[in-house]
Amino acid sequence: MEDYLHQVWMGNTVQLYAIVLAQIIVVWILFRLLRRFIIAALKKFAARTQSQVDDAIVEAAEKFIIPFIFLMINYGIVQQLKLSVRVDHVLKVAVAVITAYYFVRFINHAMQLSVNLYMHSKNEPPERIKQVTGILSIFKAVVWLAGIVMLIDNLGYNITTLITGLGIGGIAIALAAQNILTDLFSYFVIFFDKPFNIGDAISVNNAAGTVERIGIKTSHVRSLTGEQLVIPNADLVKSTIKNFKRQQRRGIIFKMNVRYDTPAEKLDAIPQLVEQIIKAQPDITFDRCHLVAFVDYSLTFETLYFVESADYRLYLDRQQQIFREILKAFSDKGIEFAFPGQTFILQQPPAVAEKK
């Protein structure tokens, strides 16, 4: 048996192979126990705390740190063997690739968790958190590209030409996709500046509706008549956006035209009459009512009041009731509205009148 253990295969004794294999098995058992008991206990402890940071740390340790440490320990154990140059090179390349893989995944995972924790700490709505996915996908792709370049450099290849090619290619792509990049940067503006969120009722470029989706290139708005409007983000950023959901109160201005032959005492009574009607309505704040203009066919009164709510239906209900009350009050007081038109006064010449 002792002679068998001292036999040499590919530059190493059978005994050394057995020792290396035993060490790998022991390490595997230890890491299995570590995951089953220690990591499980840490998960239970983290679940009892209010902070999500410890949950993130335990998750990162289980997914990335422990597997990477297990890999490096096994690689160190295998280094006890005398390996051929080719096998040693293959192992080094494999370790470099796996290291880069875990490194990039760890950075992307940490970035994802950090952003999610920040968004939750700011009590951002679920729609906003979903929007982060689009932005993070771009940054994750950049991290993967950087990781691949670093891997190639560590493997001993000259990356100067590669970086130069990427730079020239990036410029060419940027020139060919100017519109796409403009919409992409506009998406960043919308995300960080937050002129509107998913579910907001907005009006832009004579189009109004509810925001259904905010994409990297376009945003989708469901119009009041049911159509889906697909609007480029660049157009949204360049336009004036009315966000009705964030409206705290609604200011209403309306004008009334009365006849020129309305008696002075009735003209004086109109502002007070309108004020009484508006103040009698709930959720309404009266501001003013004045005679503001002499137009071709009428005297114009302008009224301003506020609906203390952003509810559009409530505004219509109150406005309808106010208009009906004004019509009834004017009819009772004998105040007539003016209609567009002209009045011709026919009068005989003075000479004709004297002969008669």
Side-chain angles (χ1 to χ4, degrees):
M1 183 65 181
E2 186 176 351
D3 293 336
Y4 176 76
L5 293 176
H6 286 87
Q7 290 182 5
V8 177
W9 289 358
M10 293 183 292
N12 301 282
T13 63
V14 174
Q15 183 178 3
L16 183 57
Y17 282 123
I19 293 173
V20 169
L21 179 61
Q23 290 176 347
I24 292 175
I25 294 174
V26 170
V27 169
W28 180 79
I29 293 174
L30 291 176
F31 273 85
R32 289 284 296 179
L33 294 175
L34 175 66
R35 282 194 170 191
R36 185 170 182 178
F37 296 103
I38 298 179
I39 296 297
L42 290 175
K43 281 185 176 180
K44 292 180 181 179
F45 173 77
R48 291 195 296 266
T49 63
Q50 295 182 352
S51 175
Q52 295 182 342
V53 177
D54 48 5
D55 299 84
I57 294 175
V58 174
E59 183 180 359
E62 182 182 20
K63 286 185 175 181
F64 307 107
I65 299 176
I66 292 179
F68 179 71
I69 293 175
F70 177 72
L71 169 70
M72 297 308 296
I73 291 177
N74 284 328
Y75 177 70
I77 293 173
V78 172
Q79 287 298 306
Q80 299 177 72
L81 300 174
K82 295 179 180 179
L83 304 174
S84 64
V85 176
R86 185 174 181 179
V87 173
D88 186 62
H89 178 70
V90 170
L91 281 177
K92 287 182 178 179
V93 171
V95 169
V97 171
I98 296 174
T99 301
Y101 171 77
Y102 276 111
F103 182 72
V104 171
R105 283 200 60 198
F106 176 76
I107 291 178
N108 287 337
H109 184 76
M111 183 168 53
Q112 176 83 49
L113 284 176
S114 300
V115 172
N116 287 342
L117 290 174
Y118 176 79
M119 298 288 284
H120 282 100
S121 67
K122 296 296 182 180
N123 295 321
E124 294 285 355
E127 293 82 7
R128 288 273 298 168
I129 297 177
K130 289 181 181 179
Q131 293 177 39
V132 178
T133 305
I135 297 177
L136 288 180
S137 299
I138 299 173
F139 286 103
K140 287 180 180 179
V142 172
V143 173
W144 273 108
L145 181 61
I148 293 173
V149 172
M150 291 176 60
L151 173 62
I152 295 174
D153 181 55
N154 289 330
L155 293 178
Y157 295 96
N158 186 4
I159 63 171
T160 304
T161 305
L162 176 62
I163 294 177
T164 303
L166 289 175
I168 297 174
I171 295 174
I173 293 173
L175 292 175
Q178 290 183 28
N179 293 333
I180 297 176
L181 292 177
T182 301
D183 289 325
L184 176 61
F185 291 135
S186 299
Y187 171 75
F188 290 149
V189 172
I190 293 173
F191 180 81
F192 291 108
D193 196 43
K194 296 189 288 188
F196 55 83
N197 292 319
I198 294 176
D200 287 3
I202 66 171
S203 174
V204 56
N205 294 336
N206 298 322
T210 303
V211 180
E212 289 187 333
R213 178 178 178 270
I214 303 174
I216 294 178
K217 189 179 188 303
T218 61
S219 294
H220 298 177
V221 178
R222 182 68 62 181
S223 70
L224 300 177
T225 53
E227 301 90 351
Q228 186 184 66
L229 306 176
V230 181
I231 306 174
N233 291 330
D235 292 347
L236 289 173
V237 171
K238 291 186 292 186
S239 304
T240 299
I241 301 172
K242 296 181 180 179
N243 193 325
F244 298 108
K245 187 174 182 180
R246 298 178 186 176
Q247 190 176 29
Q248 297 180 351
R249 64 188 323 213
R250 189 185 297 271
I252 311 300
I253 296 178
F254 69 90
K255 295 180 179 180
M256 302 176 297
N257 297 320
V258 299
R259 294 168 56 96
Y260 265 105
D261 56 358
T262 304
E265 62 274 9
K266 291 184 179 180
L267 291 176
D268 294 338
I270 288 177
Q272 184 177 2
L273 183 64
V274 173
E275 180 179 357
Q276 291 175 353
I277 292 172
I278 293 178
K279 284 186 174 180
Q281 303 297 321
D283 307 312
I284 299 293
T285 300
F286 174 81
D287 188 270
R288 58 178 171 81
C289 179
H290 293 91
L291 175 62
V292 295
F294 296 95
V295 294
D296 292 339
Y297 59 89
S298 66
L299 301 171
T300 301
F301 284 83
E302 183 178 88
T303 302
L304 171 64
Y305 69 91
F306 295 93
V307 180
E308 301 299 334
S309 172
D311 189 343
Y312 186 70
R313 185 180 296 273
L314 176 65
Y315 146 66
L316 291 178
D317 290 341
R318 297 293 182 264
Q319 179 177 257
Q320 175 180 261
Q321 187 62 30
I322 289 171
F323 286 174
R324 292 179 61 183
E325 293 290 338
I326 290 175
L327 289 173
K328 183 177 182 302
F330 276 30
S331 177
D332 294 342
K333 298 291 184 181
I335 302 172
E336 297 184 11
F337 289 99
F339 298 96
Q342 293 179 334
T343 301
F344 296 94
I345 301 176
L346 302 178
Q347 185 176 1
Q348 292 179 334
V352 177
E354 289 177 1
K355 289 180 180 181
K356 290 183 178 181

